[in-house]
Every structure is written in structure tokens, then in C-alpha cells.
Amino acid sequence: MEKILEINNLNKSFQDFALKDISFSLEPGYIMGFIGPNGAGKSTTIKLIMNLLKKDSGEIKIFGKDHVRYEKEIKEDIGFVYDQNHFYDNLSITDMTKILAPFYKKWDQARYLHYIEQFELPKHRLIKEFSKGMVMKYSLAVALSHQARFIIMDEPTAGLDPIIRSELLDILYEIIQDETASILFSTHITKDLDKIADYITFINRGNMVFSRPKDEILESYRVVKGDKNILTGAIRKKLIGLKEHGVGFEAMLATKDWDNSLQERVLIEPPNLEDIMIYTVREDRQNKIDS
Amino acid sequence: MRILISNLSQQPIYEQIVQQIRTMILQGELQEGAPLPSIRNLAKDLQISVITTKRAYEELEREGLIVTIASKGSFVAAQNKELLKERKLRIIEEKLIEVVKESRLLGLKEEEVQTMLEILFREVL
């Protein structure tokens, strides 16, 4: 099947930051979490995908088509939801939608009204009186009403309470039910992704760390904790993001590097995505200091 | 049909699904031809990823317990009852072999293990 998104060797340099050789792809019917610490390059990548920034080199294809040459056509089928309110504050959503709807050929007013109802959005209050969660839901309602096949969400859950975040996850499941649409969900709050994400793309300091199925990633690592006296040179080398403290150590270990001598000498826990992000970034910083 | 997932369990989520559906099929709670929820629907209900439910269904297919028909969905496969029972017996046998080996390592006598089994049969629900 045709891929929703395909990025190959994407590069973009700024004075003090560079995105280097980013490559990943997304098939229809799945949710991809796009993670990394602040300043990793997540928003830059998304702006490049949306052609809001011009790339230096590399290839971006959306629905199998070049994202610049077919920009207009492609954008008809993209729903873009981001952190900031990009609507006119002094309008109600009813008036705002009157302005937005004509931009989309496939606008479905009945569907739009259905979502406004479902998301319990007030039709006549001014957008500036909306909470963050309401603005995000409105963005999603707009995206869903022009039958977007690719929903890009840049930090959609930042600043939202757990109830709305949980509602959002239900909506996202709804979107992928018919196997034609996909979602790219960028966030540094990985808790939401522990459950819902099918794939995780992780970037750090402008570089790819990995882009793989989430279950596979979670199975590839373990968090280990133990007494510092077991930290031999050989074991230290295998540990990722080692942190030593007064009464022991903690680190991450790739399951393929498991050492039987550790058996019964360490506490082993399955990691979540946050652990993987923290230990990986810490390891990267330690290496940077060493070299 | 009822599936309960524990996020605190050491057992991977896909295995929890496989085990529960397998039990329902083997115990006849799910009959031949019964439709299963679609992988995306099940993912939504359990609030887990599509890939996890997909993996669970693939495992059940490999075991011959369900069949998936393109654009129709997944169904409980026709079961050869004798074959099924044989397969389950083999699993039990393998587990018992483990028990025997471990018992020998500990120097336990056959009678001691039998007593243990008797107690367990009474106590485990």
C-alpha cells in the first residue's frame, strides 16, 4: 500500500542547529509517536514536512507525492494540529469555520457539526474564551471534517489535563479505525504514547536515534538497578546512561547485551518510553563530554 | 467476550491477549466461526497499539486457532477437537518434564512431588 509519509535523508542547517539525515516512513492506519527532548528538532522536522521551512536536501513524500511539487493537492488531505492557537481570537468557531471551510474541496459540513457536538464545543462563544483543550479539539474537528488522511499533531497534549488527553486518545483511535488515515504525534510527554503508539521515531540533537515499532523498542531494553560494586569495566561499557548515586546505580541495558553474571545481582524492570528517552539522552551527553 | 489487560503484569500485553482468547476457544466459550473484534477496534477498546493486537492475532493464526479473511475480519477457526486436545496434552507433558527435572535437581522424591500435586489440585482454583 502507498505510504502516508516517507522521509529520506532530510537535512536542514541553521546557524546553531542542524537536522541531519532524518529518514522514516509511516503506513496507512497507524499512529506514530515522534519523540525527543526539547530542541531535538521535532518541530523543525514537522515544519519541513509542511513546507513551512525549506529543506536543504533530502526527500519528503506524502501520499507518495513530492511535498513541494504537489503541495496544494497534498494539503487538502492533511490535518495539522499544533500547540498554539492559530485561529482568529475574536471570532466564534461558527464564524471561523465559515472562513476556513471554502479552502477545502472535501469539506463535509454535516461531519463538522457532528464533531462539534461530540466534542461539546460552544458554537457561539469567542475563541479567545476557549481553554487550550477546546482549541485543540476545534483544530481536530476541522481536520476531521475535510477528511484528512494524514493528521500531524505538534505537541497536542502539552498543557492539557489528563481527562482531555484521554478523550484525545479515544478520538485518535477513532481516526485510524478504517485503515486509511495515519497520525504523526510529536510530544515530549511520552506517557500518552506508551499505550497508543504503533511506531516511535526518536530524534536527539538533530540526529535519528531510531524509528521502530514501539513493542519492539520496549522489549529491546531493560532498566537495571544495583549495587555499585558490580560495575566492572566490561559491564560499564554495556550500560546505557549510567547514573551512580550514594546508595547504588541505575542504568539501561539492551536485552541483547544481557550478561548472566548480573542475574540476581540487579533489579530488572521493563522500561517505558520516558526511561528510554532519558537514558539514551544521558548516554549521548556523557559520550559528548568524554570525546 | 471478555479480555482484561494488566499493565502491571510481567507478561507482555500481546501474550495476555493470546492466552485469554486461546482459553476461551479451547474451553468452548468462543465457538467455531465466531467473529473476533477487528484489530483496530480491539486496540481502541483496550487502549493499546494496533501492532500489539495485530501480533496477538498473528500468533493465534499460527496456532491454527483463528483465521483472518481479508476485508471480512477474523474468526474462530474450525477445530479438530482431538488434535486440539493432543496439543494441549503435549504442553502439559512438557511442563511436567520440567517439574521432574527440577525435582531431581533438588533431590525430591516422586512421592513428595505427588503429594505436592495433590495439594495443588485441591487448592488451585
Side-chain angles (χ1 to χ4, degrees):
Chain A
M1 215 187 302
E2 187 182 84
K3 289 195 168 95
I4 295 284
L5 173 68
E6 196 175 351
I7 299 182
N8 290 311
N9 302 98
L10 176 65
N11 286 282
K12 173 77 184 175
S13 293
F14 300 95
Q15 226 166 19
D16 51 356
F17 176 77
L19 207 57
K20 281 161 276 175
D21 281 331
I22 301 297
S23 301
F24 61 89
S25 63
L26 178 57
E27 286 180 26
Y30 293 103
I31 299 174
M32 177 181 275
F34 190 31
I35 66 170
N38 287 331
K42 300 189 295 292
S43 289
T44 304
T45 307
I46 286 176
K47 281 183 188 136
L48 289 165
I49 294 172
M50 291 298 288
N51 200 28
L52 301 172
L53 273 176
K54 223 175 143 325
K55 62 183 185 244
D56 293 345
S57 67
E59 181 187 55
I60 300 177
K61 280 188 190 168
I62 302 173
F63 314 126
K65 294 183 174 122
D66 182 86
H67 77 134
V68 178
R69 196 176 330 153
Y70 296 94
E71 180 171 358
K72 219 174 152 230
E73 179 187 336
I74 286 168
K75 282 192 174 169
E76 285 267 329
D77 289 336
I78 293 183
F80 189 26
V81 177
Y82 54 106
D83 189 18
Q84 278 127 28
N85 173 11
H86 50 292
F87 301 113
Y88 295 128
D89 256 0
N90 282 316
L91 294 181
S92 66
I93 53 171
T94 305
D95 292 333
M96 186 71 226
T97 303
K98 273 185 200 146
I99 299 174
L100 284 173
F103 285 104
Y104 300 103
K105 278 190 202 131
K106 289 187 219 154
W107 185 263
D108 184 338
Q109 185 68 13
R111 212 171 152 142
Y112 165 76
L113 292 171
H114 162 81
Y115 282 115
I116 295 303
E117 194 85 5
Q118 191 192 330
F119 299 169
E120 297 175 337
L121 292 170
K123 287 181 195 157
H124 300 295
R125 248 162 76 189
L126 299 184
I127 294 176
K128 68 176 170 198
E129 293 166 3
F130 275 28
S131 69
K132 257 186 118 153
M134 287 157 81
V135 174
M136 194 268 299
K137 283 184 185 170
Y138 176 59
S139 306
L140 262 177
V142 171
L144 299 175
S145 303
H146 62 87
Q147 295 163 43
R149 284 188 288 149
F150 184 22
I151 310 273
I152 303 176
M153 309 185 85
D154 194 6
E155 300 280 356
T157 50
L160 297 185
D161 69 48
I163 312 290
I164 295 184
R165 275 170 31 215
S166 147
E167 276 175 30
L168 169 69
L169 298 191
D170 279 334
I171 299 167
L172 299 188
Y173 277 118
E174 211 56 71
I175 296 172
I176 58 162
Q177 287 301 314
D178 70 357
E179 296 178 43
T180 53
S182 288
I183 299 162
L184 181 69
F185 184 131
S186 113
T187 184
H188 59 266
I189 308 168
T190 53
K191 206 165 171 296
D192 297 321
L193 300 172
D194 278 323
K195 287 180 178 175
I196 199 176
D198 293 304
Y199 296 93
I200 298 290
T201 297
F202 178 9
I203 63 171
N204 185 30
R205 289 197 292 117
N207 291 294
M208 284 293 295
V209 181
F210 57 67
S211 183
R212 289 164 66 193
K214 181 196 67 193
D215 291 8
E216 209 179 289
I217 297 161
L218 295 180
E219 280 164 28
S220 304
Y221 297 100
R222 286 292 174 265
V223 172
V224 291
K225 297 171 181 174
D227 193 325
K228 278 186 282 189
N229 65 16
I230 66 167
L231 293 172
T232 62
I235 286 175
R236 269 173 197 278
K237 233 180 233 161
K238 287 179 178 171
L239 294 176
I240 301 163
L242 172 67
K243 184 178 182 181
E244 294 174 64
H245 52 75
V247 287
F249 78 88
E250 53 177 74
M252 197 165 70
L253 182 67
T255 38
K256 66 173 169 54
D257 286 337
W258 175 251
D259 188 325
N260 272 326
S261 74
L262 289 172
Q263 194 79 37
E264 281 164 27
R265 298 168 74 196
V266 291
L267 202 70
I268 311 155
E269 290 173 350
N272 54 30
L273 290 170
E274 187 172 305
D275 293 324
I276 291 174
M277 191 158 101
I278 292 171
Y279 288 107
T280 308
V281 170
R282 190 189 290 147
E283 175 74 15
D284 181 67
R285 284 195 187 139
Q286 284 164 358
N287 289 343
K288 214 172 128 194
I289 295 163
D290 291 346
S291 61
Chain B
M1 188 174 170
R2 174 200 68 244
I3 299 176
L4 300 172
I5 296 300
S6 164
N7 288 317
L8 298 176
S9 167
Q10 284 287 332
Q11 194 182 25
I13 290 172
Y14 87 93
E15 269 181 35
Q16 295 183 41
I17 299 171
V18 168
Q19 201 178 44
Q20 292 178 42
I21 295 182
R22 188 198 286 132
T23 309
M24 284 186 271
I25 294 174
L26 293 179
Q27 295 185 342
E29 199 178 317
L30 279 178
Q31 298 282 344
E32 175 186 335
L36 295 167
S38 77
I39 53 167
R40 284 184 168 72
N41 214 317
L42 186 62
K44 179 175 176 245
D45 288 345
L46 298 174
Q47 300 265 303
I48 55 178
S49 84
V50 172
I51 288 195
T52 308
T53 50
K54 204 169 159 201
R55 187 166 168 198
Y57 278 23
E58 277 165 5
E59 179 60 34
L60 289 163
E61 272 169 45
R62 247 198 309 281
E63 294 182 15
L65 290 167
I66 67 168
V67 283
T68 298
I69 303 165
S71 76
K72 284 241 163 78
S74 302
F75 303 87
V76 176
Q79 301 296 333
N80 181 332
K81 290 254 161 60
E82 284 305 306
L83 205 80
L84 217 64
K85 198 170 172 195
E86 219 168 277
R87 205 182 289 151
K88 285 302 279 181
L89 276 175
R90 213 168 45 229
I91 294 172
I92 295 176
E93 206 176 270
E94 277 165 15
K95 288 188 173 163
L96 284 176
I97 289 173
E98 280 294 304
V99 171
V100 172
K101 281 183 183 163
E102 289 284 328
S103 304
R104 286 219 176 103
L105 280 177
L106 268 177
L108 284 179
K109 287 198 206 75
E110 196 180 321
E111 300 83 67
E112 288 176 287
V113 180
Q114 263 167 13
T115 318
M116 249 161 92
L117 251 182
E118 278 163 25
I119 294 172
L120 285 173
F121 259 101
R122 277 199 302 274
E123 285 186 349
V124 178
L125 292 177

